[in-house]
Amino acid sequence: MPAHDSPQHQPNPALFFDTVQGYQRTFALKAAVDLNLFSVIGGGATAAQAAKRCGASERGVRILCDYLTMVGFLAKADDRYSSTPDTAMFLDSKSRAYMGRALNFMLHPAHLENAQRMAETVRKGGGDGAMLAPDDPIWVDFARGMAPMMFPAAQAIAQHLQPALATKAKSKVLDIAAGHGIFGITIAQQSPGAEIYALDWANVLAVAQQNAAAMGVAGRYHLLTGSAFAVDLGSGYDAVLLTNFLHHFDIATNESLLKKMHAALAPGGQVVILEFVPNDDRISPAPAAMFSITMLCNTPHGDAYTFAELGSMCRNAGFEAAQLVSLAPGPESLVLARKPL
Amino acid sequence: MPAHDSPQHQPNPALFFDTVQGYQRTFALKAAVDLNLFSVIGGGATAAQAAKRCGASERGVRILCDYLTMVGFLAKADDRYSSTPDTAMFLDSKSRAYMGRALNFMLHPAHLENAQRMAETVRKGGGDGAMLAPDDPIWVDFARGMAPMMFPAAQAIAQHLQPALATKAKSKVLDIAAGHGIFGITIAQQSPGAEIYALDWANVLAVAQQNAAAMGVAGRYHLLTGSAFAVDLGSGYDAVLLTNFLHHFDIATNESLLKKMHAALAPGGQVVILEFVPNDDRISPAPAAMFSITMLCNTPHGDAYTFAELGSMCRNAGFEAAQLVSLAPGPESLVLARKPL
């Protein structure tokens, strides 16, 4: 039997309990979103009041609210619950930054099933990647739910590109795996000369096109249907967006994709990569580094790549030295690289 | 739209992300236990070494170990992982305190399915309680897996009862919903005059009886098969154990059960209740108070009761004033009450 303990250490199973029960945090949050609980609590409600407003039982709401208070989404004073500032911002369905619809993608049954197969996946080295097949409907859930979560990154990208795009009367931006389309759409809003070319599966582009119309840029929004690896992309782009895309693939695949992007760009054009970028230790910062397990479970070869790895991929594809820009407090970063003039 | 933010508050979606992904913590821990990963890492291993020892891929083990480092189960220095003291204690299968087998009960498909139905359960006020039906096989998983997690509480109970039991040549202890039997067995080991009467479903008692034999107390271990609410318990007991049982039922049911225990006890006999006991605010301490959501999801009317509630149940059943004894750092407490002489 191994030596278990130093004399100073009092054994504590708290982390074990808490981690085993981690799934309850996920499904309590999901239940609250499904019940619209955060919206009806707002600035304050008792369990009885909240239960009445969302058509649920007082016992159920009381236990769920106490739990969500301990997890950090609510505050409790006497028997009255209220939303924290972040909860009011992200989980009140009346907020523009409402993220509740992201759960249809983030907690898609495929994600939950793949996580439950994790031991088998670790044995064989990767997931089956079924969701990377053409037209997989999970990406429609992605497109419908994930836009609000991407607003801050979309603003950052649009602001970064704005000066370069402003030098030309007409510019062209290619948005690979456009999804909800919010990255290209935000650029189109901020750069009136920009024509956006959005690539994705046809079922997903229907969502992007709706969003482009709703946000007033449909006239400068063009669709490229199919796989980024197979479609003829055209050429002369001023910028190519690779948002949350490279993490699905291995390094060699990413380099071949980046070469294709390089070929599609005009000289001086930029590739804008949005990614979860851990430090070289791969355990910090946790919100970025933890994304690696999602790629282990859901793709055959994907990963959360370090800046050294992403920079090397860009260099090997012909780009100039890449730059890293953190988007904290969000979990992602931008990696920016230019095609030589 | 509600007012979202104070000027001082920078919106941060980190808690939202982390909670949505909480299920990954659960299943990463489960995968590591299934792979026996903590045992093969022990005092130190690289991903390549650990992968070889547990017959898994290096990529999978590297990503899983990085994740488990961030969650707190491993330490990482350069590319070498090692177990924390608690991991070595509780998750190395060579340790006597190994808790890995508890996952078969704690992550039983019924628990996971009930958690995923939480919105519906909150609407109607409680779970269906299917697992409380006679002979439900989940309690065999409980009995087979949960004993090591109960060692500290079993020691505390046996030590508490030892002086009273030592005053008599022969004593009788009734263990309600005995499960693995470890509470009664530990008493039998420490109090040589104690005869243990273990009550549970027949399929569960088979496990308790095996444990009693393995631990050398089979000669003083007696079985009472069936429901605590229906079986004739006999009488003249010096102590009755109600360990992790009252949380499954409503207050009225618990009071009627406590009256039956009171009738079965000799004058001066004690009821020993082991429970998750939150403070009156029901949000502290979190490890106890969080247990309430498990009862919401898995029982029609159960809860984690406060000491005020448990004391009142005991009083209404005829017991003298109850006492509360914390078993920290474990999540549970003892509630002790005596039948008047």
Side-chain angles (χ1 to χ4, degrees), chain B residues 96-334:
Chain B
R96 274 191 61 209
Y98 179 62
M99 291 186 175
R101 277 178 285 271
L103 299 187
N104 293 332
F105 171 73
M106 296 181 77
L107 300 179
H108 191 284
H111 284 137
L112 299 177
E113 285 158 22
N114 288 343
Q116 291 186 67
R117 267 199 284 275
M118 208 182 301
E120 180 195 333
T121 300
V122 170
R123 276 194 198 98
K124 66 182 193 194
D128 66 8
M131 64 179 68
L132 301 178
D135 302 311
D136 192 280
I138 194 173
W139 301 108
V140 178
D141 286 321
F142 175 88
R144 291 216 176 105
M146 296 296 279
M149 200 167 290
M150 297 300 155
F151 286 155
Q155 289 294 330
I157 292 171
Q159 283 161 26
H160 166 73
L161 289 177
Q162 199 274 332
L165 300 180
T167 63
K168 305 170 71 171
K170 286 282 170 204
S171 59
K172 286 175 67 179
V173 176
L174 176 58
D175 187 1
I176 297 290
H180 37 70
I182 215 70
F183 296 108
I185 291 167
T186 306
I187 292 168
Q189 289 181 317
Q190 296 194 12
S191 294
E195 301 282 328
I196 310 300
Y197 294 79
L199 181 141
D200 215 314
W201 308 122
N203 54 353
V204 179
L205 283 177
V207 180
Q209 196 168 26
Q210 276 173 11
N211 288 341
M215 297 169 88
V217 300
R220 291 180 284 130
Y221 205 76
H222 314 283
L223 308 183
L224 292 170
T225 303
S227 159
F229 298 97
V231 168
D232 179 2
L233 302 172
S235 63
Y237 290 101
D238 298 284
V240 173
L241 315 183
L242 286 167
T243 57
N244 295 315
F245 193 58
L246 299 183
H247 55 234
H248 296 104
F249 311 107
D250 63 25
I251 288 175
T253 303
N254 285 333
E255 289 190 357
S256 74
L257 186 78
L258 283 162
K259 283 177 187 159
K260 188 173 176 181
M261 300 304 128
H262 186 273
L265 281 164
Q270 298 178 67
V271 63
V272 177
I273 296 167
L274 177 68
E275 274 299 342
F276 297 87
V277 184
N279 295 328
D280 289 340
D281 64 10
R282 293 193 183 276
I283 54 171
S284 68
M290 280 187 168
F291 189 72
S292 195
I293 201 100
T294 301
M295 290 301 99
L296 174 67
C297 293
N298 296 293
T299 69
H301 307 292
D303 209 342
Y305 291 108
T306 64
F307 178 57
E309 289 169 328
L310 290 164
S312 162
M313 291 178 214
C314 290
R315 202 164 49 247
N316 292 343
F319 288 94
E320 290 175 355
Q323 255 189 284
L324 180 67
V325 179
S326 162
L327 300 181
E332 295 197 85
S333 298
L334 296 179

Side-chain angles (χ1 to χ4, degrees), chain A residues 142-182:
Chain A
F142 174 88
R144 290 213 177 109
M146 296 296 279
M149 200 168 289
M150 297 300 154
F151 285 155
Q155 289 294 330
I157 292 172
Q159 282 161 27
H160 165 73
L161 289 177
Q162 199 273 333
L165 300 181
T167 61
K168 304 172 70 172
K170 286 280 170 204
S171 61
K172 283 175 69 179
V173 175
L174 176 60
D175 187 0
I176 296 290
H180 36 70
I182 215 69

Side-chain angles (χ1 to χ4, degrees), chain A residues 167-214:
Chain A
T167 61
K168 304 172 70 172
K170 286 280 170 204
S171 61
K172 283 175 69 179
V173 175
L174 176 60
D175 187 0
I176 296 290
H180 36 70
I182 215 69
F183 296 107
I185 291 168
T186 306
I187 292 168
Q189 289 182 317
Q190 296 194 11
S191 294
E195 302 282 327
I196 310 300
Y197 294 79
L199 181 142
D200 214 314
W201 309 121
N203 54 354
V204 179
L205 283 178
V207 180
Q209 194 168 26
Q210 275 173 11
N211 288 340

Side-chain angles (χ1 to χ4, degrees), chain A residues 1-6 9-31 33-35 54-57 59-64 66-67 69-73 76 85-86 88-92 94-97 99-100 102-103 106-107 111-112 115-116 118-119 121-127 149 280-287 289-296 298-303 328-331, chain B residues 1-6 9-31 33-35 54-64 66-67 69-73 76 85-86 88-92 94-97 99-100 102-103 106-107 111-112 115-116 118-119 121-127 149 280-286 289-296 298-303 328-331:
Chain A
M1 212 183 324
H4 290 137
D5 225 11
S6 65
H9 175 73
Q10 183 176 20
N12 190 331
L15 179 67
F16 174 76
F17 284 118
D18 200 50
T19 306
V20 175
Q21 305 290 48
Y23 73 96
Q24 294 185 328
R25 293 177 183 240
T26 299
F27 296 122
L29 178 58
K30 176 79 162 67
V33 166
D34 288 349
L35 292 161
C54 66
S57 71
R59 171 179 182 261
V61 168
R62 185 257 300 167
I63 294 175
L64 180 57
D66 282 338
Y67 185 82
T69 300
M70 289 181 272
V71 174
F73 289 98
K76 182 180 185 181
D86 283 329
M89 169 73 90
F90 298 122
L91 291 168
D92 186 321
K94 300 181 290 302
S95 166
R96 273 191 63 208
M99 290 185 176
L103 299 187
M106 295 180 79
L107 300 178
H111 284 137
L112 299 177
Q116 290 186 67
M118 207 183 302
T121 300
V122 170
R123 275 194 198 98
K124 67 182 192 191
M149 200 168 289
D280 288 341
D281 63 11
R282 292 193 184 274
I283 55 171
S284 69
M290 281 188 168
F291 188 73
S292 195
I293 202 98
T294 301
M295 290 301 99
L296 174 67
N298 296 292
T299 70
H301 308 293
D303 209 341
Chain B
M1 213 184 324
H4 290 138
D5 224 12
S6 65
H9 175 73
Q10 184 177 20
N12 190 331
L15 179 67
F16 173 78
F17 284 118
D18 199 50
T19 305
V20 175
Q21 305 291 47
Y23 72 96
Q24 293 184 329
R25 294 177 183 240
T26 299
F27 297 122
L29 177 58
K30 176 79 162 65
V33 165
D34 289 350
L35 292 162
C54 66
S57 70
E58 181 177 342
R59 171 178 182 261
V61 167
R62 184 258 300 168
I63 293 176
L64 180 58
D66 283 338
Y67 185 81
T69 301
M70 289 182 271
V71 174
F73 289 98
K76 182 179 186 182
D86 283 330
M89 169 72 90
F90 299 121
L91 291 168
D92 186 321
K94 299 180 292 301
S95 166
R96 274 191 61 209
M99 291 186 175
L103 299 187
M106 296 181 77
L107 300 179
H111 284 137
L112 299 177
Q116 291 186 67
M118 208 182 301
T121 300
V122 170
R123 276 194 198 98
K124 66 182 193 194
M149 200 167 290
D280 289 340
D281 64 10
R282 293 193 183 276
I283 54 171
S284 68
M290 280 187 168
F291 189 72
S292 195
I293 201 100
T294 301
M295 290 301 99
L296 174 67
N298 296 293
T299 69
H301 307 292
D303 209 342

Side-chain angles (χ1 to χ4, degrees), chain A residues 3 15 283, chain B residues 37-47 49-50 53 61-62 64-89 91-92:
Chain A
L15 179 67
I283 55 171
Chain B
L37 182 62
F38 298 117
S39 312
V40 306
I41 286 177
T46 62
Q49 291 167 336
R53 290 178 200 159
V61 167
R62 184 258 300 168
L64 180 58
C65 286
D66 283 338
Y67 185 81
L68 292 166
T69 301
M70 289 182 271
V71 174
F73 289 98
L74 296 172
K76 182 179 186 182
D78 297 320
D79 62 349
R80 215 170 159 73
Y81 305 93
S82 58
S83 290
T84 66
D86 283 330
T87 294
M89 169 72 90
L91 291 168
D92 186 321

